Amino acid sequence: TTEIYTLSLHDALPIYGISEADLQKIAQLALEERSNSVTSALNSGRMGEALQESLRKPPYGIRDEKVKADSTELVASVLLAIKPAEIEKHLSTLSDVQLDTLMKYIYRGLATYENSNAYLIWHEKTLAKAGLGSIVRAMAEKKSVLDTAGVAEE
């Protein structure tokens, strides 16, 4: 049998010599890169590309709530730009990992109480595509954009 060990990014920091501050910088730079790419794709009407790009390099393993909130706003801007009739078409291009990441962002977005109708439509369509396991993974995984509860305190 093969055993799989998972190590959270935060737990791996000392092993790889990455400081918390460096991780914050990396997350911020990744967000800026994604924001530029998403804005370009949205301005060009490439909604599928914008969706995939918005889900790339999510801010897992960091404590900076601003980066997580800004990342959620970036994903929200894409979700709101896509017409409801086109949601399924764009979901069909996402991998299982991307669908799970999207579900995490949907839950974080729902927690803001803004654009709830749009998030509920996306939730319904994502659930239909990804299945109930996506909800379980979104709620249970340590690496999350939802909150810092999964990050070990030092």
Side-chain angles (χ1 to χ4, degrees):
T1 63
T2 303
E3 293 184 43
I4 299 174
Y5 296 95
T6 58
L7 185 64
S8 77
L9 183 57
H10 193 268
D11 293 337
L13 292 179
I15 295 170
Y16 294 108
I18 300 172
S19 70
E20 183 78 26
D22 288 341
L23 183 60
Q24 299 292 348
K25 288 177 191 173
I26 291 167
Q28 183 62 44
L29 290 171
L31 175 60
E32 290 170 12
E33 177 186 340
R34 286 179 26 238
S35 295
N36 292 335
S37 297
V38 166
T39 300
S40 175
L42 286 175
N43 290 339
S44 301
R46 299 185 320 267
M47 301 300 168
E49 182 181 326
L51 179 59
Q52 289 193 3
E53 186 64 22
S54 72
L55 299 173
R56 194 170 60 86
K57 298 180 186 174
Y60 292 149
I62 65 165
R63 292 185 171 114
D64 188 343
E65 287 300 317
K66 179 166 177 15
V67 171
K68 289 182 179 188
D70 290 349
S71 189
T72 301
E73 287 178 25
L74 179 65
V75 173
S77 70
V78 175
L79 300 184
L80 294 172
I82 295 174
K83 296 175 184 170
E86 297 178 352
I87 293 173
E88 290 170 348
K89 173 180 86 171
H90 294 298
L91 287 176
S92 71
T93 68
L94 300 179
S95 70
D96 290 344
V97 171
Q98 289 171 316
L99 288 166
D100 287 353
T101 301
L102 176 58
M103 189 64 84
K104 292 172 188 180
Y105 279 115
I106 289 170
Y107 281 114
R108 181 158 175 126
L110 281 167
T112 67
Y113 302 105
E114 296 176 16
N115 303 306
S116 294
N117 289 340
Y119 281 117
L120 288 172
I121 291 168
W122 274 93
H123 184 273
E124 175 187 9
K125 305 275 186 189
T126 304
L127 175 60
K129 171 73 174 142
L132 287 173
S134 183
I135 293 173
V136 173
R137 288 184 295 275
M139 296 296 173
E141 283 186 8
K142 279 187 156 185
K143 57 180 189 178
S144 180
V145 297
L146 296 175
D147 58 40
T148 58
V151 178
E153 292 296 324
E154 300 187 305

